[in-house]
């Protein structure tokens, strides 16, 4: 059917075509059901209900009479196709809006509250240099009496010296640190994006055979990239092809099947045909439609494209999960910390300003502002930003070596806070490699043949056999043969030498077909069986999630008798069988026994149909034109999906770490329960009360508990709230769930978990239908091998090897990252009290003990590098023996950090600094006689200069003591030792820089230091040793109180007590479940820890 283009006056031919195409698009939208939402109309059309002629008219294309379109004119005209391409755009799903990489770099450099605080310091320093700069040349008095003679020192000449406020090095260095840190984080995320793009390119599609028409209607056969397809294109698909767009099947070979598991989560193949569907059929259920992103498993088809790109079913799902940017827990924690630091820094700056104004030593306005700005700057932990970035980079690289791709580095720290890990079963907790381990045929009450082990015995009429022994069960051969023959005929799997394992199809179908073939004599014997005329398949009702069974009919209708074979979920199949209550109970008993052994169980039955109809029709009992009753029970199949190696150990590790592992599966509850027990998710012993009732929850129970809105609100019915609170506390398995349930489960944990505060959740997934749940969770984890691109785009982390144990490793890395950041902050803040106190002391006339230059030398010269070195700190021995830190209760820098740094270590440092300050001979007398100056005698100036130097040197050693003390929170330094090479180097660097400042003359003038006699250099070592010993005593006391259970600060719970598991369920015998715990019931950290 050829449809011409109407021309429009005054516009070009191309424009006319585009207008025509847009009108077609608008008409296409109007074909949607009237009650469709506006955003859904581009997909929810009725094309599956149109006859081919009407479909061709709507899409302005042409089909051949037989529908195959292999000869003659077919498809769109080239000119039409180009115009449609302009209207509809490329056939690709619009990816999430990608920020320009250079804008991203600028944002990371200049945005963010912490960056803004640091840039404010830089700007303040520069402004002081520009607006308050004095004459740079001044007369310097001879200081030969103040300092020992050094080479090149001339006491009688003018010395050119910059004012302290003219220090241009500090703002430059701080700017370099900010920019370098931003570039480091930017580079890391660019590498992750490149890795994702590489993974996507590896899965690129092959060209699609397409037919179009030329200007004169001639046939043009082309192989187009999928991205160039437009609605109306006629394409040819065959087994193994990926469906390149949403298409309507015009015609296909008998038995064509597609794999829709990426969209539906169902692993069973679904048949396709070219017949027109009824108007009442939903598009997603129509069997004459195939969807973008699915795969053709069997057969060939000629199809017409009816939706491309974002208008496809897959595109609609992808667009629905695009949400606004959500801050990570790390960003929230950093913001909280910066607010605290800003408050402290501003307060200290104002106090410094007042102290300088009230000081007996009169200063210029420039000096007062400079001192206040420096006091403000000294309170800002400049090393935090690079420490955060380096910590996350190290964790990302460590995880990358374990085949875990971190798409956003912030997710590493969030992963360390995870308290609930919801995981798929198949392919994540289990291998995904199904094996038929048990055949259960009905037999006369008799023991099995000699040498054939059985789980049953035959006494009750059923015999449970291993497939490998079936060949030897001679007495029961007839029943076994019936079970094997039915399994080989009623199947969606088929032999394929090129496929992994030699078969293609869903894992369950392949498992049954492989076992049946082996028992029957191998694949060749199975092919011969299926090739017999009496076994020819003439009709099929494929498996679907509603029926949970599949039916095939075999034979020659002309002979007057055919055989129907029914296979599926036992509870559904048994309803069609002619079994009395006693026999049904026996079957259910064996079924339960298999499921208790973690087997997935399918039942199979058959019946002969005499006088078959001329043509079999129907999709279920309600519309079939043949009897679906009185089937003969043939047997059960027990199928095992064994747990992956190491999963049971990983679950135990997670449980000991306070992480609740929850299995989310579509399997039968009993099968799921058995698997959960094998991998330590569920206890092997029976629980009591709600703990037992809620340990395994089914999808049927969830159906009546889903929220009315998109998420849970405060207006939920009280009964639902109580039920969900029990569910999130006790549930360990969610079975027989649908994809929509996954998002609801995550929402429930986030709303009602952790005693109503909300759990931090991670969710694993691989299909498109998992994407909303992945997006909903704080950490979405996609499978790299089985996962769809939409799932990977929605996830924060991609498991390139689909290994569950890698998630637990990631949790450990996240915790280590968080712990090291906390230690770095504690270390950095320790020096702030002794740095600020000299300014206050000057108000009462104490000589200046620490200059601005010395403060900057400590902060920029040493502390920042030591703080960064904490990123390389290895874990303490009990890191994964503690409950996760909940970011809503325990901040990265909370009051405990402030008490430790300001009121404990900071006070100790300040005490020793002042003690050493007054160890300088004559300094006390200078204070009493001259206060803060001016000092007329060179000896007095030298005495004060020596005091400044020893104060600075003591503070350097005090910071080394803080570095050693904060390497562990409880573990003794004598057992932990010094495993961090980078920190060791930084400490050596601190010592060297301090000694250089004392003994090298070029450092004396810029930093107000001087030579000290050996005894004054050695005395501050007392401060270092004393602080370390005091800290060891504190750690010993806390460890002792913990062991005795007397330290209320150190008792640990993972939030509200979980009644579903006792302390000994997943711990080693004799271990203390509270050993080395970290949190109190309120979620607070212990004081001074």
């Amino acid at each position: 059917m050829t449809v011409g283009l109407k021309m429009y006056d005054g516009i070009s031919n191309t424009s006319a075509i585009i207008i025509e195409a847009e009108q077609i698009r608008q008409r296409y939208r109007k074909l949607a059901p009237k009650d469709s939402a506006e955003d859904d109309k581009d997909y929810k059309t009725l094309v599956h209900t149109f006859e081919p002629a009407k479909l061709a008219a709507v899409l302005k294309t042409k089909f051949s009479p037989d529908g195959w379109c292999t000869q003659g004119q077919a498809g769109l005209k080239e000119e039409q196709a180009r115009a449609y391409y302009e209207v509809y755009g490329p056939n690709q799903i619009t990816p999430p809006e990608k920020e320009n990489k250079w804008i991203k770099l600028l944002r990371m450099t200049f945005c963010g509250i912490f960056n803004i605080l640091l840039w404010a310091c830089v700007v303040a320093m520069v402004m002081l240099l520009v607006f308050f700069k004095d004459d740079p040349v001044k007369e310097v008095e001879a200081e030969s009496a103040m300092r020992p003679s050094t080479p090149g020192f001339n006491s009688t000449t003018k010395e050119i010296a910059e004012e302290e406020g003219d220090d241009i090095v500090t703002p430059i260095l701080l700017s370099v640190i900010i920019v370098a840190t931003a570039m480091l984080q930017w580079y890391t995320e660019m590498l992750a994006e490149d890795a994702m793009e590489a993974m996507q390119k590896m899965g690129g599609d092959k060209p699609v055979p397409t037919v179009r028409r030329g200007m004169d209607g001639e046939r043009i056969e082309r192989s187009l990239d999928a991205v160039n397809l437009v609605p109306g294109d006629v394409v040819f698909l065959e087994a193994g092809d990926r469906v390149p767009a949403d298409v309507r099947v015009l015609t296909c070979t008998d038995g064509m099947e597609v794999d829709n598991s990426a969209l539906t989560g169902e692993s069973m193949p679904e048949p396709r045909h070219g017949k027109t569907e009824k108007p009442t059929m939903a598009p997603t259920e129509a069997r004459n439609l195939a969807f973008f992103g699915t795969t053709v498993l069997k057969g060939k088809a000629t199809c017409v494209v009816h939706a491309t790109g974002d208008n496809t079913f897959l595109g609609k799902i992808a667009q629905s999960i695009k949400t606004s940017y959500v801050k990570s827990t790390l960003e929230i924690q950093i913001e909280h910390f910066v607010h605290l630091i800003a408050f402290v820094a501003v307060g200290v700056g104002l106090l410094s300003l007042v102290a300088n104004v009230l000081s007996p030593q009169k200063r210029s306005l420039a000096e007062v502002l400079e001192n206040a700005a420096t006091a403000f700057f000294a309170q800002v932990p400049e090393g935090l930003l690079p420490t955060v970035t380096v910590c996350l980079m190290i964790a990302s690289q460590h995880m990358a070596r374990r085949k875990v791709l971190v798409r956003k580095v912030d997710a590493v720290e969030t992963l360390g806070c995870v308290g609930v890990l919801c995981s798929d079963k198949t392919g994540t907790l289990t291998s995904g490699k199904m094996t038929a381990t048990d055949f259960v045929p009905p037999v006369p009450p008799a023991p099995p043949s000699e040498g054939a082990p059985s789980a049953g015995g035959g006494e009750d009429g059923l015999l449970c056999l291993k497939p490998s022994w079936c060949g030897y069960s001679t007495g029961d051969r007839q029943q076994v043969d019936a079970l094997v023959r039915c399994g080989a005929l009623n199947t969606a799997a088929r032999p394929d030498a090129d496929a992994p394992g030699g078969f293609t199809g869903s894992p369950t179908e392949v498992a049954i077909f492989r076992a049946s073939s082996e028992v029957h004599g191998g694949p060749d014997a199975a092919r011969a069986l299926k090739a017999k005329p009496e076994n020819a398949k003439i009709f099929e009702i494929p498996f679907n999630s509603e029926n949970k069974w599949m039916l095939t009919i075999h034979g020659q209708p002309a002979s007057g008798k055919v055989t129907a074979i029914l296979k599926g979920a036992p509870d559904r199949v048994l309803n069609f069988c002619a079994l009395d209550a006693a026999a049904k109970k026996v079957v259910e008993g064996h079924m339960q026994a298999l499921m208790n052994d973690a087997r997935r169980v399918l039942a199979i039955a058959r019946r002969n149909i005499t006088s078959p109809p001329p043509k079999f029709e129907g999709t279920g009992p309600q519309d079939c034109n043949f009897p679906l009753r009185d089937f003969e029970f043939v047997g059960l199949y027990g199928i095992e999906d064994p747990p992956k190696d190491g999963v049971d150990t990983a679950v135990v590790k997670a449980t000991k770490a306070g992480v609740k592992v929850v299995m989310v599966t579509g399997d039968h509850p009993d099968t799921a329960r058995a698997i959960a027990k094998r991998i330590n998710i569920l206890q092997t012993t029976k629980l009591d009360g709600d703990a037992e009732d809620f340990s395994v929850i089914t999808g049927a129970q969830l159906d009546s508990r889903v929220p009315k809105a998109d998420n849970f609100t405060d207006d939920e019915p009280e009964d639902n709230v109580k039920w969900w609170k029990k569910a999130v506390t006790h549930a360990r398995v969610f079975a027989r769930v649908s994809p929509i349930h996954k998002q609801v489960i995550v929402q429930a944990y986030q709303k009602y978990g952790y005693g109503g505060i909300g759990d931090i959740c991670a969710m694993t997934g691989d299909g498109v239908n998992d994407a909303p749940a992945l997006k909903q969770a704080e950490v979405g984890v996609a499978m790299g091998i089985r996962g769809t691109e939409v799932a990977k785009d929605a996830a924060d982390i991609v498991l390139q090897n689909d290994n569950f144990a890698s998630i637990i490793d990631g949790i450990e890395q996240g915790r280590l990252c968080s712990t090291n950041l906390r230690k770095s902050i504690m270390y950095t803040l320790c020096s702030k009290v002794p740095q600020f106190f000299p300014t206050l002391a000057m108000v009462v006339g104490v000589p200046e003990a620490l200059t601005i230059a010395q403060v900057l030398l400590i902060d920029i010269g040493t502390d920042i590098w030591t703080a960064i070195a904490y990123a390389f700190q290895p874990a303490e021995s009990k890191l994964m023996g503690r409950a996760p830190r909940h970011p809503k209760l325990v901040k990265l820098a909370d009051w405990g950090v402030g008490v430790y740094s300001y009121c404990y270590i900071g006070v100790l440092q300040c005490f020793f600094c002042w003690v050493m300050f007054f160890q300088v001979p004559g300094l006390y007398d200078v204070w009493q006689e001259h206060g803060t100056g001016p000092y007329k005698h060179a000896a007095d100036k030298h005495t004060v200069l020596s005091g400044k130097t020893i104060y600075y040197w003591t503070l350097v050693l005090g910071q080394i003591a803080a570095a050693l003390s904060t390497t562990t929170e409880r573990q003794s330094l004598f057992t932990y030792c010094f495993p961090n090479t980078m920190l060791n180097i930084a400490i050596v660097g601190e010592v060297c820089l301090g000694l250089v400042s004392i003994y090298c003359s070029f450092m004396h003038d810029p930093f107000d230091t001087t030579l000290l006699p050996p005894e004054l250099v050695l005395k501050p070592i007392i401060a270092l040793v004393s602080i370390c010993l005091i800290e060891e005593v504190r750690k010993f006391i806390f460890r002792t109180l913990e062991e005795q259970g007397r330290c209320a600060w150190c008792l640990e719970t993972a939030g509200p007590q979980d009644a579903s598991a006792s302390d000994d369920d997943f711990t080693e015998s004799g271990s203390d479940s509270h050993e080395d715990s970290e949190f109190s019931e309120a979620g607070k950290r212990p004081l001074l820890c």
Side-chain angles (χ1 to χ4, degrees):
M1 177 179 179
T2 304
V3 180
L5 292 175
K6 181 172 66 177
M7 305 304 295
Y8 294 83
D9 295 335
I11 60 175
S12 66
N13 185 43
T14 302
S15 298
I17 294 174
I18 294 175
I19 292 174
E20 182 84 9
E22 179 60 22
Q23 288 180 339
I24 294 172
R25 180 174 179 275
Q26 295 298 329
R27 187 187 316 135
Y28 179 61
R29 288 170 59 85
K30 291 178 182 178
L31 292 172
K34 294 181 179 180
D35 58 348
S36 296
E38 186 67 19
D39 289 339
D40 293 336
K41 289 185 177 180
D42 281 341
Y43 180 75
K44 291 187 177 179
T45 66
L46 302 173
V47 294
H48 57 295
T49 67
F50 295 165
E51 294 294 337
K54 183 177 181 180
L55 186 62
V58 169
L59 297 175
K60 299 290 184 179
T61 189
K62 188 173 184 179
F63 311 137
S64 65
D66 63 357
W68 285 104
C69 301
T70 54
Q71 295 180 348
Q73 295 183 352
L76 293 171
K77 285 190 174 182
E78 287 281 10
E79 191 177 14
Q80 283 178 298
R82 286 192 295 270
Y84 287 3
Y85 188 86
E86 294 294 328
V87 174
Y88 294 103
N91 177 32
Q92 58 187 12
I93 296 173
T94 304
E97 187 175 349
K98 193 173 182 180
E99 188 177 18
N100 181 277
K101 61 181 181 179
W102 303 116
I103 294 178
K104 186 175 187 176
L105 177 59
L106 290 175
R107 176 177 57 79
M108 290 180 172
T109 305
F110 296 103
C111 298
I113 189 167
F114 196 73
N115 288 47
I116 292 172
L117 184 61
L118 293 177
W119 282 118
C121 294
V122 173
V123 171
M125 291 180 181
V126 173
M127 290 181 67
L128 287 172
L129 289 173
V130 173
F131 296 106
F132 295 98
K133 186 174 182 180
D134 295 330
D135 186 359
V137 180
K138 67 177 182 179
E139 187 74 30
V140 180
E141 294 183 3
E143 298 183 356
S144 57
M146 297 172 60
R147 297 187 176 94
S149 298
T150 55
F153 184 82
N154 188 348
S155 62
T156 62
T157 62
K158 285 185 178 182
E159 184 180 88
I160 305 300
E162 291 186 355
E163 289 283 355
E164 291 174 350
D166 294 346
D167 179 17
I168 193 64
V169 175
T170 299
I172 292 177
L173 182 57
L174 184 57
S175 300
V176 169
I177 290 172
I178 299 171
V179 173
T181 300
M183 292 187 68
L184 199 61
Q185 183 178 355
W186 174 77
Y187 177 71
T188 302
E189 294 198 6
M190 288 297 102
L191 288 180
E193 287 187 11
D194 290 343
M196 280 296 296
E197 290 176 1
M199 289 175 63
Q200 291 168 355
K201 289 178 181 178
M202 288 174 62
D205 298 319
K206 65 180 183 180
V208 182
T210 310
V211 60
R212 287 179 176 173
R213 291 174 289 154
M215 292 293 295
D216 298 326
E218 70 275 14
R219 179 185 178 87
I220 301 176
E221 295 183 0
R222 305 180 60 182
S223 291
L224 298 176
D225 290 334
V227 71
N228 294 322
L229 294 177
V230 296
D233 267 329
V234 175
V235 298
F236 305 97
L237 302 177
E238 60 184 18
D241 288 346
R242 183 170 177 264
V243 179
D246 279 7
V247 299
R248 159 73 187 270
V249 178
L250 298 176
T251 188
C252 63
T253 56
D254 291 340
M256 178 189 174
E257 294 174 347
V258 294
D259 178 8
N260 280 349
S261 59
L263 298 176
T264 65
E266 298 288 351
S267 59
M268 296 296 294
E270 296 186 15
R272 286 298 179 262
H273 57 66
K275 302 174 185 177
T276 302
E277 296 283 7
K278 299 176 181 178
T280 56
M281 177 70 70
T284 52
E285 299 294 330
R287 293 179 182 171
N288 60 0
L289 297 181
F291 303 105
F292 181 35
T294 61
T295 305
V296 179
L297 294 178
K298 181 181 176 183
K300 296 181 179 181
T302 299
C303 310
V304 60
V305 175
H306 73 87
T308 59
D310 291 337
N311 296 322
T312 62
F313 184 28
L314 186 66
K316 285 293 179 183
I317 297 176
Q319 295 299 314
S320 70
I321 65 173
K322 291 180 183 177
T323 59
S324 59
Y325 173 70
V326 179
K327 291 181 180 178
S328 67
T329 58
L330 179 61
E331 290 173 300
I332 296 172
Q333 298 296 297
I334 293 297
E335 282 193 13
H336 170 79
F337 173 66
V338 171
H339 289 150
L340 292 178
I341 289 298
F343 176 79
V344 172
V346 170
V348 168
L350 292 175
L351 284 175
S352 176
L353 183 67
V354 173
N356 277 273
V357 171
L358 299 178
S359 172
Q361 181 179 353
K362 300 304 178 183
R363 291 181 171 84
S364 66
L365 178 61
E367 290 176 323
V368 171
L369 293 177
E370 181 183 14
N371 290 348
T374 303
F376 170 84
F377 173 74
Q379 299 302 313
V380 178
E382 306 85 2
L384 177 62
L385 202 59
T387 303
V388 170
T389 302
V390 174
C391 271
L392 296 176
M393 275 194 63
I394 292 171
S396 299
Q397 292 170 358
H398 182 85
M399 293 170 71
R401 289 194 292 270
R402 287 170 167 77
K403 301 296 183 182
V404 180
L405 176 64
V406 180
R407 300 191 62 220
K408 190 169 184 289
V409 291
D410 287 359
V412 175
E413 193 274 341
T414 306
L415 191 58
C417 298
V418 165
V420 174
L421 174 55
C422 299
S423 176
D424 278 338
K425 181 184 76 70
T426 304
T428 304
L429 296 173
T430 61
S431 66
K433 299 175 181 177
M434 304 289 188
T435 304
T437 57
D438 302 272
F439 283 175
V440 186
V443 295
S449 300
E450 183 179 356
S454 79
E459 294 86 352
D460 56 5
L462 289 177
L463 178 65
C464 187
L465 297 167
K466 302 299 180 185
S468 58
W469 287 91
C470 286
Y472 300 96
S473 185
T474 54
D476 308 316
R477 185 67 192 183
Q478 183 178 355
Q479 287 75 14
V480 173
D481 281 348
L483 182 62
V484 168
R485 186 166 55 253
C486 288
L489 295 178
N490 180 286
T491 183
R494 70 180 189 278
D496 185 347
D498 297 328
F503 296 89
T504 60
S506 72
T508 303
E509 290 291 293
V510 167
I512 295 175
F513 185 55
R514 179 189 289 116
S516 298
S517 299
E518 289 173 354
V519 173
H520 196 72
D524 291 337
R527 290 192 190 95
L529 176 69
K530 298 177 73 172
K532 293 181 178 179
E534 62 269 23
N535 294 329
K537 184 166 64 175
I538 57 176
F539 181 73
E540 178 180 8
I541 299 177
F543 177 90
N544 63 61
S545 56
E546 182 179 352
N547 289 340
K548 295 190 181 301
W549 50 259
M550 68 176 293
L551 178 139
T552 56
I553 297 179
H554 305 264
Q556 299 293 326
S559 66
K561 186 179 74 170
V562 294
T563 301
I565 304 175
L566 182 70
K567 181 183 69 184
D571 54 336
R572 302 295 181 88
V573 172
L574 293 180
N575 290 335
F576 296 101
C577 294
L579 292 176
D580 57 28
K584 191 173 182 179
K585 186 176 180 180
V586 170
V587 173
E588 290 174 345
H590 278 264
M591 179 181 73
Q592 188 67 48
L594 289 172
M595 290 190 293
N596 289 343
D597 287 336
R599 303 293 195 266
R600 175 179 290 180
V601 182
L602 294 182
I604 195 163
R606 66 181 178 181
R607 72 155 290 168
N608 293 325
I609 300 176
T610 56
S611 303
K615 183 179 181 181
F616 287 93
E617 294 179 346
T619 59
Q622 69 282 357
D623 62 354
C624 284
N625 62 348
F626 55 91
L628 271 180
R629 60 183 182 277
D630 298 332
F631 276 76
E632 173 195 355
F633 176 72
V634 176
L636 301 173
Y637 300 105
I639 303 167
E640 182 183 36
D641 181 11
K644 281 185 176 178
D645 293 337
V647 166
D648 52 349
T649 305
V651 171
V652 170
K653 185 177 180 181
T655 305
K656 286 184 176 181
V659 179
K660 185 187 300 182
V661 181
V662 178
M663 179 194 293
V664 183
T665 179
D667 277 352
H668 190 281
D670 292 324
T671 303
R673 186 191 299 272
I675 286 286
K677 288 181 178 180
R678 287 180 60 179
I679 60 178
N680 298 318
I681 290 179
L682 277 177
Q683 295 177 236
T684 55
T685 56
K686 187 177 179 63
L687 302 173
D688 297 323
D690 290 338
E692 179 66 25
D693 296 339
F694 284 86
S695 61
V696 179
I697 295 176
T698 64
Q701 292 173 280
L702 294 179
D703 286 336
S704 60
R705 305 289 182 176
V706 296
K708 297 178 181 179
D710 292 336
N711 204 336
F712 289 97
T713 66
D714 294 334
D715 298 327
E716 295 296 323
E718 185 177 352
D719 181 57
N720 271 11
V721 172
K722 290 181 179 179
W723 188 90
W724 274 114
K725 285 183 177 180
K726 292 180 180 180
V728 299
T729 300
H730 304 297
R732 291 296 182 274
V733 175
F734 289 90
R736 281 284 193 253
V737 297
S738 64
I740 190 61
H741 288 144
K742 291 185 177 182
Q743 186 175 11
V744 173
I745 291 168
V746 173
Q747 291 170 343
Y749 277 108
Q750 292 172 333
K751 176 69 175 179
Y752 302 114
Y754 213 90
I757 298 172
D759 282 305
I760 305 299
C761 286
M763 168 62 83
T764 70
D766 51 16
V768 173
N769 49 26
D770 295 329
L774 295 176
K775 202 76 173 177
Q776 180 72 42
E778 279 82 1
V779 181
V781 183
M783 303 296 111
I785 298 175
R786 296 180 295 111
T788 61
E789 294 305 321
V790 173
K792 294 173 188 176
D793 285 338
D796 303 291
I797 292 173
V798 178
L799 300 183
Q800 293 175 305
N801 59 357
D802 292 7
N803 189 355
F804 175 82
S806 299
I807 305 176
I808 310 304
D809 291 336
I811 290 176
E812 184 172 10
Q813 283 298 312
R815 290 192 182 186
L816 178 60
C817 175
S818 177
T819 301
N820 287 345
L821 287 177
R822 185 180 175 88
K823 292 177 180 178
S824 176
I825 292 172
M826 291 163 63
Y827 163 79
T828 304
L829 297 182
C830 285
S831 64
K832 304 311 176 186
V833 172
Q835 285 178 355
F836 172 64
F837 209 83
T839 303
L840 294 181
M842 291 177 68
V843 176
V844 295
V846 177
E848 187 176 24
L850 194 68
T851 66
I852 300 168
Q854 289 169 346
V855 169
L856 298 179
L857 183 61
I858 292 172
D859 285 352
I860 301 296
T862 57
D863 277 6
I864 190 171
W865 312 113
T866 307
I868 294 173
Y870 276 94
F872 299 89
Q873 194 75 13
E876 294 181 53
S877 59
K878 299 297 179 67
L879 178 66
M880 290 296 282
R882 306 170 183 172
R885 178 180 65 85
H886 198 297
K888 291 183 181 179
L889 293 178
V890 184
K891 307 298 183 184
L892 191 62
D894 56 7
W895 63 274
V897 170
V899 170
Y900 181 93
S901 299
Y902 289 119
C903 304
Y904 173 49
I905 297 294
V907 169
L908 289 176
Q909 288 181 344
C910 192
F911 169 77
F912 283 110
C913 284
W914 284 113
V915 169
M916 296 302 161
F917 180 76
F918 286 107
Q919 289 294 311
V920 176
L923 187 56
Y924 183 82
D925 295 332
V926 172
W927 172 30
Q928 295 299 315
E929 294 179 12
H930 304 289
T932 59
Y935 310 108
K936 297 180 179 180
H937 302 290
D940 292 341
K941 294 180 180 181
H942 182 262
T943 298
V944 173
L945 197 61
S946 297
K948 294 177 183 178
T949 304
I950 197 171
Y951 192 101
Y952 159 76
W953 174 237
T954 304
L955 183 52
V956 168
L957 294 181
Q959 277 298 87
I960 293 175
L964 296 176
S965 298
T966 53
T967 53
T968 65
E969 294 185 339
R970 294 182 187 82
Q971 190 173 348
S972 172
L973 193 60
F974 296 108
T975 58
Y976 186 75
C977 297
F978 308 97
N980 188 348
T981 304
M982 298 300 296
L983 182 61
N984 298 338
I985 294 173
I987 290 174
V988 172
E990 285 193 53
V991 175
C992 292
L993 183 59
L995 293 175
V996 166
S997 300
I998 296 173
Y999 288 106
C1000 294
S1001 60
F1002 65 87
M1003 297 286 285
H1004 290 169
D1005 287 333
F1007 297 104
D1008 284 318
T1009 57
T1010 187
L1011 287 171
L1012 293 177
E1015 61 272 16
L1016 289 182
V1017 174
L1018 295 176
K1019 277 186 178 180
I1021 296 177
I1022 297 174
L1024 189 156
V1025 175
S1026 299
I1027 293 174
C1028 288
L1029 289 178
I1030 292 171
E1031 178 66 358
E1032 283 296 310
V1033 172
R1034 181 196 69 81
K1035 292 175 182 177
F1036 173 77
I1037 292 173
F1038 269 75
R1039 288 197 305 271
T1040 302
L1041 291 176
E1042 282 181 333
E1043 292 173 0
Q1044 297 176 356
R1046 294 166 54 193
C1047 180
W1049 286 329
C1050 301
L1051 294 179
E1052 171 190 33
T1053 62
Q1057 290 295 326
D1058 184 353
S1060 67
S1062 64
D1063 292 334
D1064 299 327
D1065 289 336
F1066 304 104
T1067 56
E1068 297 176 1
S1069 177
S1071 64
D1072 185 353
S1073 62
H1074 294 297
E1075 182 181 354
D1076 201 32
S1077 58
E1078 186 173 0
F1079 298 97
S1080 70
E1081 187 171 353
K1084 298 180 180 178
R1085 297 178 67 93
L1087 186 66
L1088 304 184
C1089 286

